[in-house]
Amino acid sequence: MEFENKVLSKEIQMLLYETGKSLSTAESCTGGLIAESIIAAPGSSQYFKGSIVSYVDEVKERLLGVDPELMREKSAVCEEAAIQMVRGACKTLNTDYAIAATGFAGPGGGAPGAPVGTIWLACGTPDNVITFKLSEDNGRDRNQQAAAYKALQMFLKFLKGDKE
């Protein structure tokens, strides 16, 4: 795990300790890398409840409540699916906040309008979700690492704004 992710996780930890709020993740293409970064901070069990690695659409639908019609029309790699994954993780894991990632890390996959390297990130609360789209293909490992780093960075910024 990259040093930068550990630094971000520690900052997230301090903010969640202060507020007493909880966090979960819903990950597809990152396969648990975001959760791994979060639990690298000792004491993370005080605020991190768990993760759903929803690598297939069936799990996104059944455990996270992602609309199957949306996935048929647009695929699971779209902004709306990432938003629904945040809301579903908050509901299923009973958390205040969630971070989600869905995309095509590569080397295969991709779809019209969403080539390999397209990864949608989302974070927030059930009522307030922000998103970000990565669209550069730097190879599977780098795509996954970039997504985990950006997701943590995005969530930290969200937390700081939510606190104000």
Side-chain angles (χ1 to χ4, degrees):
M1 181 185 329
E2 296 183 15
F3 176 74
E4 293 86 1
N5 287 12
K6 288 185 179 185
V7 171
L8 290 170
S9 294
K10 191 66 178 166
E11 289 184 60
I12 289 168
Q13 178 184 55
M14 291 189 306
L15 289 171
L16 290 174
Y17 269 158
E18 286 176 18
T19 61
K21 303 268 177 133
S22 57
L23 173 64
S24 60
T25 64
E27 301 183 59
S28 184
C29 63
T30 50
L33 285 175
I34 300 167
E36 179 184 7
S37 296
I38 292 165
I39 65 166
S44 57
S45 62
Q46 297 299 310
Y47 56 88
F48 185 70
K49 287 192 174 184
S51 179
I52 296 172
V53 177
S54 55
Y55 214 61
V56 297
D57 291 354
E58 174 191 358
V59 176
K60 289 176 185 74
E61 180 184 340
R62 289 182 55 213
L63 296 180
L64 296 171
V66 177
D67 182 7
E69 189 64 30
L70 170 72
M71 290 188 286
R72 274 192 292 282
E73 288 177 14
K74 292 188 168 186
S75 91
V77 181
C78 66
E79 183 178 28
E80 296 91 340
I83 291 168
Q84 289 180 16
M85 288 170 69
V86 165
R87 292 181 176 144
C90 286
K91 180 180 179 182
T92 300
L93 296 170
N94 190 31
T95 58
D96 300 297
Y97 300 108
I99 304 170
T102 183
F104 298 114
V116 171
T118 302
I119 300 174
W120 277 100
L121 304 171
C123 68
T125 67
D127 299 323
N128 183 16
V129 180
I130 61 171
T131 61
F132 187 84
K133 180 183 177 184
L134 296 170
S135 55
E136 218 173 286
D137 182 13
N138 294 302
R140 183 178 182 80
D141 291 344
R142 286 187 178 167
N143 291 344
Q144 291 171 323
Q145 287 297 327
Y149 175 75
K150 183 61 182 177
L152 293 169
Q153 191 179 51
M154 188 171 88
F155 182 60
L156 179 61
K157 184 177 180 182
F158 179 88
L159 270 182
K160 287 179 176 178
D162 200 38
K163 187 179 171 193
E164 293 172 358

